[in-house]
Amino acid sequence: MAKLRVAMAGCGLIARQHLEGYRRSGRAVVEALIDTKEENSAQFAKEVGGSPKIFNNLTKALEWGEFDAVDIMTPHDLHFDHALACMKANKHILLEKPMATNHRECEKLLTAGQDHVTQNKKVFMIGENAQYWPEVVKVKEIIDSGRIGDVYFAKASYWETKLSSPFMKDVDGSTHWGCDPSRVGGGILMNGSCHWLRPLRMWLGEVGEVVGTVSESAYEGMPAGYETQAQALLRFKNGKTACFHGMYASHALSDTPFFQVYGSKGEITIGGGFKGGVTVYDREHVNGESQGPALGYVESFPPEIEAFVSAVLDNKPLDADAMYCSGEPRIAWAIYRSLESKRFEKVVWDS
Ligand SMILES: NC(=O)c1ccc[n+]([C@@H]2O[C@H](COP(=O)([O-])OP(=O)(O)OC[C@H]3O[C@@H](n4cnc5c(N)ncnc54)[C@H](O)[C@@H]3O)[C@@H](O)[C@H]2O)c1
């Protein structure tokens, strides 16, 4: 296969980041665009260039079928059906997070995904860009080097304000799917929080149990009762702990670091705001030593897309398989259970 022929399903916000990834890869060509809103696919077609075929639903695109892979970037409640349809049509799949909005569909999709990989010999990758976030990868390297000693605790602070976030402009008004918990599968915990939970798992290990609370922050445009703030304590299977705080806001916010990782010999931070930057604090650098240029969150997308292209074209194993990627929604579901029980809840890995 010379170039990967891709159909992009869902021509919204995140499609722009994926497109940049395909461009930088240079080993993919966008053959089809799929969006129920024709104005969205028409506008995106101008940005894509060339002459991709445009479809207003996935079924019609799969009937045409002149592509190898589908990049699914539709609202969360459609992920399950869209992924199953692409499996049935024997296509390689990149599915944006979260893989499903509930436990039952997640388990079914994992089973179908396993068959897709082993029997159809096709790639089933879940899009979790934090796996490739340059600052997150850098922190992992520093931890593995032993520079901050034994890591015992971390704080993850996910915050987005409409005043500066590139991702929140579009989530406004009760008509957007992102404002509807039944379409999202919850609130902030089932949305951007996963990108802060993944790094914790990469650095500290697998999460065993969690307890949390959710509430409403000051965020204009969300319906009353929508969970725009969440906090949780995470206890890892190896005994380490972390705390997570996630918040959407419309007002100004300080530059709270996105991550603070504490070890027996020092601390590592990732700067807040999507600009990034890693700093190490240790005995020799009590005021901190910057670890090279800040690359930032959006630079996570090109390597994520390259990982997908390479999985198909070069047979390169995935950095995180679908089962591993179900970890973030499983953590969110355990936090939701803890709201009822008011105690630590185990992260459930089997049905
Ligand atoms: N990794 C990240 O940082 C990140 C950031 C934002 C969004 N996302 C994820 O990307 C996905 C899409 O989010 P978004 O922000 O781009 O949403 P969006 O609303 O901007 O775009 C979604 C697009 O899907 C289209 N659509 C709706 N129903 C459809 C259907 N049945 N068939 C085809 N197209 C349909 C909509 O018209 C819209 O153009 C979600 O899974 C979201 O969680 C990830």
Side-chain angles (χ1 to χ4, degrees):
M1 198 187 296
K3 281 198 175 187
L4 179 65
R5 300 173 305 156
V6 182
M8 299 181 80
C11 304
L13 190 72
I14 210 61
R16 272 69 191 181
Q17 302 298 337
H18 286 215
L19 176 62
E20 176 62 14
Y22 292 119
R23 277 211 179 105
R24 288 205 211 168
S25 162
R27 297 200 294 157
V29 54
V30 179
E31 296 285 9
L33 299 178
I34 304 146
D35 203 297
T36 39
K37 287 192 182 164
E38 289 177 13
E39 66 272 27
N40 289 8
S41 45
Q43 172 55 41
F44 192 49
K46 290 184 202 155
E47 297 168 39
V48 170
S51 47
K53 289 261 286 178
I54 295 184
F55 298 90
N56 64 8
N57 77 58
L58 180 62
T59 309
K60 285 188 208 159
L62 291 171
E63 277 165 14
W64 178 64
E66 297 289 316
F67 44 82
D68 313 299
V70 186
D71 185 347
I72 304 172
M73 299 165 288
T74 48
H76 298 179
D77 59 325
L78 303 173
H79 287 185
F80 177 69
D81 286 346
H82 283 174
L84 286 183
C86 294
M87 286 176 191
K88 209 168 158 202
N90 219 8
K91 302 298 179 191
H92 299 285
I93 298 167
L94 173 59
L95 171 63
E96 259 294 348
K97 47 51 69 169
M99 55 193 302
T101 55
N102 61 66
H103 198 247
R104 188 182 54 81
E105 289 188 348
C106 176
E107 298 300 345
K108 280 190 171 178
L109 200 51
L110 283 169
T111 304
Q114 186 64 24
D115 291 346
H116 193 55
V117 173
T118 54
Q119 291 167 23
N120 294 352
K121 308 282 183 222
K122 291 290 185 292
V123 172
F124 177 43
M125 174 168 161
I126 306 298
E128 178 43 78
N129 54 300
Q131 182 77 35
Y132 304 95
W133 188 348
E135 275 79 0
V136 169
V137 173
K138 172 69 102 180
V139 169
K140 173 103 178 90
E141 284 167 12
I142 297 169
I143 291 172
D144 290 347
S145 77
R147 179 164 172 188
I148 65 157
D150 292 330
V151 171
Y152 57 89
F153 178 66
K155 280 190 224 170
S157 303
Y158 165 41
W159 53 268
E160 293 199 49
T161 165
K162 273 191 181 181
L163 299 179
S164 61
S165 170
F167 295 119
M168 295 299 287
K169 303 274 188 259
D170 199 35
V171 181
D172 203 355
S174 55
T175 54
H176 191 277
W177 66 269
C179 303
D180 180 348
S182 70
R183 302 208 65 191
V184 173
I188 190 169
L189 280 171
M190 281 298 284
N191 215 330
S193 301
C194 58
H195 311 306
W196 273 250
L197 296 171
R198 171 63 61 90
L200 294 177
R201 296 175 69 210
M202 289 165 68
W203 301 329
L204 274 75
E206 197 50 89
V207 181
E209 52 184 11
V210 293
V211 61
T213 61
V214 301
S215 55
E216 287 174 60
S217 58
Y219 187 89
E220 291 160 13
M222 288 296 187
Y226 191 98
E227 159 211 318
T228 43
Q229 181 167 239
Q231 38 276 310
L233 289 175
L234 286 68
R235 195 178 281 143
F236 292 77
K237 288 183 174 171
N238 55 20
K240 297 175 198 276
T241 53
C243 62
F244 164 81
H245 176 225
M247 181 165 86
Y248 296 152
S250 304
H251 52 80
L253 289 168
S254 72
D255 243 4
T256 306
F258 274 167
F259 295 97
Q260 293 162 277
V261 185
Y262 299 89
S264 51
K265 294 187 195 164
E267 177 184 347
I268 318 173
T269 63
I270 295 181
F274 289 92
K275 59 187 181 301
V278 174
T279 307
V280 173
Y281 298 79
D282 59 12
R283 190 180 283 272
E284 290 74 36
H285 307 91
V286 287
N287 294 316
E289 182 191 47
S290 169
Q291 304 297 301
L295 292 171
Y297 185 79
V298 294
E299 283 300 318
S300 57
F301 292 101
E304 176 198 7
I305 297 301
E306 183 54 38
F308 178 57
V309 172
S310 192
V312 178
L313 295 185
D314 312 328
N315 233 357
K316 186 167 182 275
L318 295 178
D319 299 291
D321 65 13
M323 178 60 88
Y324 183 78
C325 292
S326 69
E328 288 82 26
R330 289 179 196 279
I331 292 169
W333 295 325
I335 296 172
Y336 288 140
R337 288 197 303 279
S338 83
L339 303 180
E340 300 295 321
S341 68
K342 297 187 170 41
R343 59 178 61 190
F344 272 96
E345 289 287 341
K346 291 208 178 315
V347 178
V348 176
W349 281 89
D350 48 29
S351 38

